[in-house]
Every structure is written in C-alpha cells, then in structure tokens.
C-alpha cells in the first residue's frame, strides 16, 4: 500500500495489487457513544476542566479520555491504581 495522503473524506492510497487509488473513509463521529442530556453536560464539564488543567492537550485527546472514563470508569480506575508511578502522587 502506497499512501497518497489524508483527505477530508479519508485516507487515500494506491492498492499495490490492483494499482488503483482507493480510499479508507474517515470514522463517522456520530457513531460514537450516545449520551443523555445530563451525561452530555457531565462530559462537557469534564472536558472543560481537563482542558483548563492541561491546555497543551488537543481537544480530541481530551474527548477520548472523557468518553473512556464515562463508559469504562471501573476499568480506568483499576489501571490508574496499578500504575505505581501515577499512584506516587497520592497518599494512600
């Protein structure tokens, strides 16, 4: 696969077997999690707080973390507890 570039509609490349230009479409952001009004407000609040505390992070990264936290909270907390470097910041 020879990559031609990222386009608004997706990633274009040349299929080495056929020699034809093909497209891998971008993900549809509407395919993500479905939230209630209250959940949407909570997510927006989390994102705003994260972006204020970590302004160097891009909004998409913050959104991914917020989505993961809201939908897989227990798993994410378990990963943080198992991270010895992270947990050094807290008195346990």
């Amino acid at each position: 696969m020879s990559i031609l570039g990222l386009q608004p509609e997706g990633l274009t490349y040349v299929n080495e077997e056929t020699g034809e230009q093909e497209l891998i479409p971008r993900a549809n952001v509407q395919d993500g999690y479905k939230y209630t009004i209250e959940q949407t407000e909570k997510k927006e609040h989390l994102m705003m707080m994260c972006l204020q505390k970590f302004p160097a992070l891009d909004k998409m990264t913050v959104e991914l973390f917020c989505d993961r936290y809201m939908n897989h909270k227990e798993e994410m907390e378990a990963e943080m507890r198992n991270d010895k470097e992270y947990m050094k910041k807290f008195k346990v």
Side-chain angles (χ1 to χ4, degrees), residues 4-37:
L4 297 176
L6 192 56
Q7 307 297 323
E9 55 277 344
L11 180 70
T12 56
Y13 68 96
V14 174
N15 184 323
E16 293 176 354
E17 293 176 5
T18 65
E20 294 181 17
Q21 182 174 324
E22 296 184 12
L23 173 76
I24 299 172
R26 287 186 181 266
N28 183 353
V29 293
Q30 302 303 318
D31 291 344
Y33 296 108
K34 306 293 185 219
Y35 293 117
T36 64
I37 292 171

Side-chain angles (χ1 to χ4, degrees), residues 53-79:
K53 187 165 184 169
F54 305 101
L57 289 177
D58 66 283
K59 191 174 180 179
M60 184 60 72
T61 300
V62 173
E63 185 171 13
L64 290 169
F65 279 114
C66 289
D67 280 334
R68 181 146 190 263
Y69 177 77
M70 290 182 64
N71 292 285
H72 307 283
K73 183 177 179 178
E74 294 81 18
E75 181 182 313
M76 199 170 189
E77 287 177 355
E79 287 177 9

